[in-house]
Amino acid sequence: MQALLLDFLKVTEAAAIASKPWVGSGDKIAADEAATSAMREELNRLKMSGTVVIGEGEIDEAPMLYIGEKVGIGTGPAVDIAVDPIEGTTPIVNGQRNAITVIAAAERGSLLHAPDMYMKKLAVGSKAKGKIDIEAPLEDNLHTLAKALDKPMDQLNILIQDRPRHREYINRIRNCGANVLLFNDGDVIYATATCMEELDIDMFLGIGGAPEGVLGAVAARCLGGEMQAKLMPRNSEEIQRCLQMGIVNPEQALTHQQLVNTDNCIFAATGITANLFLNGIKTVNGNYITHSILVNGKDKQLRYVESTYPILTTA
């Protein structure tokens, strides 16, 4: 896996660059197709036997990077792949912040095969690892967090997506005296941010997509933090999908180990537009300059990488 570290970085860089022309375009489909095609092309150059376990959808709804698709040249390590060619299609086509391209990878059989449905997620950094409990009352988690971080309650910063479904959480957090920091899009970004001490983000909480939850869980594991989760199937059809994907009890709380059960994992993300910790792609003197993070679970070392690529023009 470690031999593939820089290769996975090139995958996210390629997808981000392919999507760059669509920033501000209003065309989500074209932007996603460009990023997905570039990501798939790069993945198929890698010396690995990869399987997409988190992707663009089921085989009948996604022509590329569908769940179960084999990628790589077929030799080398057996790898599970989780991808989001564009996390934040709305921000990218509106020319707003918080659009990134993301990949996570781990040795075969290590990632939760999460169906595309809602998932409740709770993430913290390394100092609060082992202290949280997604099944406990929110107020208990906040007090435990404050103690673990040696912070007064009124200095805790809790990230939560600005959605009506989170209104109760927001009110309860504020009633405890902690600070709520709202965001609109990109929960992989914000789950990851809890593990970067310099950002002063203490907890990420919310209900969002399960595939993004697995990506965030890999990032948190690579950075020494913790994520817990709970699938939230809304009907019998979604329950059946969980069972088909090997999740015997769809409504059980999921530990970090159940989301990603190895340290032999990699997380890479490249900014398309700027966010909390990444710059967007810049155009300078006929070149694209990309800004990425790259981290693996073995050494827990976070790398910020800036790369330069010539802008290719067609005749």
Side-chain angles (χ1 to χ4, degrees):
M1 285 289 295
Q2 304 309 303
L4 294 169
L5 199 59
L6 289 177
D7 293 319
F8 283 121
L9 173 65
K10 292 177 183 177
V11 170
T12 60
E13 289 174 341
I17 289 170
S19 69
K20 169 65 173 173
W22 301 101
V23 173
S25 69
D27 194 337
K28 290 184 180 182
I29 293 174
D32 193 60
E33 284 180 350
T36 302
S37 179
M39 180 172 274
R40 182 173 185 259
E41 184 176 335
E42 285 296 320
L43 282 170
N44 280 327
R45 292 175 175 158
L46 302 191
K47 189 176 181 181
M48 66 175 182
S49 176
T51 302
V52 177
V53 298
I54 301 288
E56 290 289 272
E58 309 292 338
I59 188 170
D60 57 351
E61 63 187 39
M64 295 182 290
L65 298 183
Y66 56 83
I67 297 170
E69 183 175 357
K70 304 300 182 183
V71 292
I73 65 173
T75 62
V79 180
D80 280 351
I81 306 288
V83 300
D84 197 343
I86 300 178
E87 196 210 13
T89 51
T90 297
I92 191 175
V93 300
N94 289 337
Q96 298 169 327
R97 291 172 57 87
N98 296 335
I100 61 173
T101 184
V102 188
I103 192 166
E107 58 192 10
R108 180 67 48 82
S110 300
L111 300 182
L112 178 75
H113 293 208
D116 190 4
M117 65 178 59
Y118 275 137
M119 171 187 272
K120 182 179 179 182
K121 311 164 207 179
L122 181 64
V124 294
S126 59
K127 289 184 178 179
K129 182 179 178 180
K131 308 292 185 181
I132 57 170
D133 180 0
I134 199 167
E135 297 274 66
L138 175 54
E139 292 79 4
D140 290 358
N141 277 313
L142 291 172
H143 286 288
T144 300
L145 180 66
K147 184 177 180 181
L149 300 179
D150 193 24
K151 271 187 166 185
M153 184 66 69
D154 63 4
Q155 289 184 19
L156 287 184
N157 295 317
I158 314 301
L159 277 170
I160 190 163
Q161 193 174 24
D162 189 6
R163 295 290 187 270
R165 63 180 176 269
H166 294 146
R167 184 52 50 190
E168 180 188 347
Y169 294 152
I170 292 167
N171 291 337
R172 289 168 67 183
I173 292 167
R174 286 175 173 161
N175 286 339
C176 282
N179 304 306
V180 174
L181 308 182
L182 296 175
F183 67 92
N184 285 318
D185 298 282
D187 70 7
V188 176
I189 294 168
Y190 293 103
T192 305
T194 61
C195 302
M196 298 178 173
E197 193 169 344
E198 69 275 12
L199 297 178
D200 196 26
I201 304 299
D202 301 309
M203 178 186 284
F204 161 81
L205 170 68
I207 297 168
E212 291 83 359
V214 176
L215 285 159
V218 175
R221 180 136 192 168
C222 286
L223 291 166
E226 180 179 8
M227 178 183 280
Q228 295 178 15
K230 192 172 184 178
L231 289 167
M232 303 184 71
R234 293 171 291 183
N235 51 49
S236 58
E237 180 182 345
E238 289 192 347
I239 290 173
Q240 189 60 35
R241 289 185 67 205
C242 291
L243 297 174
Q244 290 170 352
M245 296 179 82
I247 301 170
V248 178
N249 181 3
E251 296 183 350
Q252 72 173 340
L254 297 166
T255 66
H256 206 169
Q257 184 73 4
Q258 289 170 299
L259 295 168
V260 49
N261 66 16
T262 181
D263 282 335
N264 193 16
C265 54
I266 292 169
F267 177 86
T270 299
I272 304 169
T273 59
N275 58 67
L276 270 178
F277 50 82
L278 288 175
N279 300 323
I281 298 175
K282 297 176 182 177
T283 304
V284 180
N285 296 329
N287 294 305
Y288 286 133
I289 299 177
T290 63
H291 192 219
S292 308
I293 61 167
L294 181 63
V295 63
N296 72 84
K298 288 286 190 180
D299 61 23
K300 303 290 191 292
Q301 183 178 14
L302 172 63
R303 296 173 174 89
Y304 286 94
V305 182
E306 189 172 274
S307 301
T308 301
Y309 289 87
I311 298 174
L312 302 178
T313 57
T314 56

